[in-house]
Amino acid sequence: MGLTIGRRTLFAVICAVAVASIYAAQPVLAQIGSDLGVPDADLGWIVAAGQLGYLAGLAVLVPLGDMIDRRKLMAGHLLLTAMGAVLAATATRTWALLVGMVVAGLFAVVVQTTVAYAAALSTPEERGRNLGVVTSGVVIGILGARVAAGALAAVWGWRSVYVALAVLLVALACLVLTTLPPDARADHATYPQVLTSLGELFRERLFLSRGLIAFFLFASFGALWSGLALPLAAAPWHLSTAQIGLFGLAGLVGALGAARAGRWADAGFANSVSGGALVLLAASWLATGQASWSLWLVVIGVVVLDFAVQAVHVSNQHLLTMTHPHRTSSVIGGYMIFYSLGSALGAAATTTVFAGAGWAGSGVLGAAFAACALVVWASSRRVATGPHLPLSDPQKASRP
């Protein structure tokens, strides 16, 4: 069928805004902590709460995309994500903020329904390219949210960030209902059948290896972006939230620089790209770990890290959706469970380590996560040698 440029753009914007509802807290953690009286060592749990909600949504909500009209599913989840943003914006106690973050994270899995829909609408020849464009929206949301949130918080406070997100989410829900065609489903699988299908994925070597790579990949990513605001706000820099948010621009440069990863995957180099990018990920921490004395090294490290993360992420999803073309929602949702767990671990661990060992300790932590991802890739190279290679049982690749 293929994707039009307009729909591909809409999908990317949905991904950007939805995922921003989870990550917008990162550049304003210090401001939130001051307002609500949250200790530095516990700030990571604000981001982790959204990730844990996201984890639950991946398991119980994303598989619905293999059953029902994804247009209606996307619109409903966008509206419920907006509700979570409103709860966060009006929170006066820490527990209320955490509830809002969990609700926003739970329904922000509209991102994965959108990615799966894009994969399902794509021809095999353009699937990698389309996934690269749509998932670039995820990276823009994660990193662009830092810039926008930092600027908004500097002028109107951190609550204005969640008010703006709620408005955008409602507007996108209306666009989904008015511009996308109905998504008629050819089969009538039941919810238990879809969940059983999701559970079966966890016994497949390709799925597990790509999932474990994603777990460590995003733990490293979370260690950087959930902790970087702390050394930048401290001595000797004392940067404002707006200035800290500008580091998201460096991340955008790196992530968008990896836009060709989808084309490389279409050409059969998905696994090779993953290995090379993981080496870059580990090396990037040599630069980002120097935040206590050099901002330029941090910028370089951020560019390299985000290039590596986006390249691996697109390659992983390409391999999995090519292997399971008839259940893209389940396979993307299951894969992203590893992503969510890794991100939550990185967010919680980096602030704890920073409180005890400073940013140097966080740097070692992030590099260790990257090294673990590289070990998993090296030990599973024979499982995925090309984008069309099925699992050990070839019939599994065509099973709906």
Side-chain angles (χ1 to χ4, degrees):
M1 179 185 297
L3 278 179
T4 65
I5 294 177
R7 289 176 184 170
R8 194 164 56 198
T9 302
L10 175 60
F11 285 171
V13 173
I14 290 170
C15 289
V17 177
V19 80
S21 66
I22 303 174
Y23 290 96
Q26 288 180 333
V28 296
L29 282 176
Q31 196 176 100
I32 293 174
S34 177
D35 186 22
L36 299 181
V38 182
D40 284 353
D42 295 333
L43 287 175
W45 287 105
I46 295 173
V47 178
Q51 289 292 346
L52 292 173
Y54 199 81
L55 171 63
L58 290 170
V60 302
L61 296 179
V62 174
L64 291 172
D66 286 336
M67 295 173 51
I68 61 179
D69 187 330
R70 277 174 281 212
R71 182 188 64 159
K72 294 179 180 178
L73 190 64
M74 289 163 62
H77 286 179
L78 285 167
L79 291 174
L80 289 167
T81 306
M83 184 180 74
V86 170
L87 290 174
T90 57
T92 57
R93 301 290 175 86
T94 302
W95 66 265
L97 174 64
L98 293 177
V99 169
M101 294 299 294
V102 169
V103 171
L106 179 66
F107 293 102
V109 293
V110 66
V111 170
Q112 304 318 316
T113 302
T114 302
V115 172
Y117 197 11
L121 291 175
S122 301
T123 62
E125 295 77 17
E126 65 175 7
R127 181 168 288 138
R129 175 189 175 192
N130 287 338
L131 285 174
V133 172
V134 174
T135 58
S136 70
V138 177
V139 180
I140 290 171
I142 294 173
L143 302 177
R146 297 182 61 82
V147 181
L152 283 172
V155 179
W156 292 297
W158 67 269
R159 297 177 189 278
S160 66
V161 175
Y162 291 97
V163 172
L165 282 170
V167 172
L168 289 172
L169 288 161
V170 171
L172 285 172
C174 295
L175 279 175
V176 166
L177 290 175
T178 56
T179 63
L180 294 181
D183 176 37
R185 313 323 305 271
D187 55 16
H188 301 283
T190 65
Y191 188 56
Q193 287 173 332
V194 171
L195 290 182
T196 299
S197 176
L198 174 61
E200 290 174 352
L201 290 172
F202 288 84
R203 296 197 296 268
E204 297 181 356
R205 290 184 62 200
L206 175 63
F207 178 82
L208 282 176
S209 64
R210 294 294 129 175
L212 286 173
I213 288 171
F215 174 81
F216 291 116
L217 177 76
F218 284 98
S220 186
F221 182 86
L224 174 72
W225 288 112
S226 291
L228 186 58
L230 299 177
L232 296 182
W237 310 115
H238 300 292
L239 300 185
S240 67
T241 55
Q243 291 170 322
I244 292 171
L246 289 175
F247 280 81
L249 294 177
L252 283 173
V253 170
L256 296 179
R260 291 192 61 85
R263 295 181 184 270
W264 296 333
D266 286 334
F269 301 112
N271 202 44
S272 298
V273 168
S274 294
L278 288 171
V279 172
L280 289 176
L281 176 67
S284 72
W285 280 100
L286 295 174
T288 50
Q290 312 307 316
S292 61
W293 67 277
S294 174
L295 294 183
W296 282 112
L297 283 176
V298 172
V299 170
I300 292 171
V302 165
V303 170
V304 174
L305 181 141
D306 285 283
F307 174 90
V309 167
Q310 177 68 352
V312 176
H313 190 42
V314 171
S315 299
N316 281 350
Q317 292 181 97
H318 182 273
L319 283 168
L320 291 172
T321 56
M322 289 298 290
T323 306
H324 299 281
H326 301 296
R327 46 175 175 168
T328 54
S329 288
S330 293
V331 75
I332 292 295
Y335 164 78
M336 293 299 289
I337 288 175
F338 292 94
Y339 151 92
S340 188
L341 286 170
S343 294
L345 173 63
T350 191
T351 52
T352 300
V353 171
F354 178 82
W359 187 243
S362 293
V364 171
L365 177 72
F369 286 141
C372 289
L374 188 58
V375 169
V376 174
W377 173 84
S379 64
S380 61
R381 289 179 61 189
R382 294 183 181 180
V383 179
T385 57
H388 301 286
L389 183 67
L391 302 176
S392 57
D393 178 1
Q395 293 181 348
K396 287 183 179 180
S398 61
R399 185 185 303 163

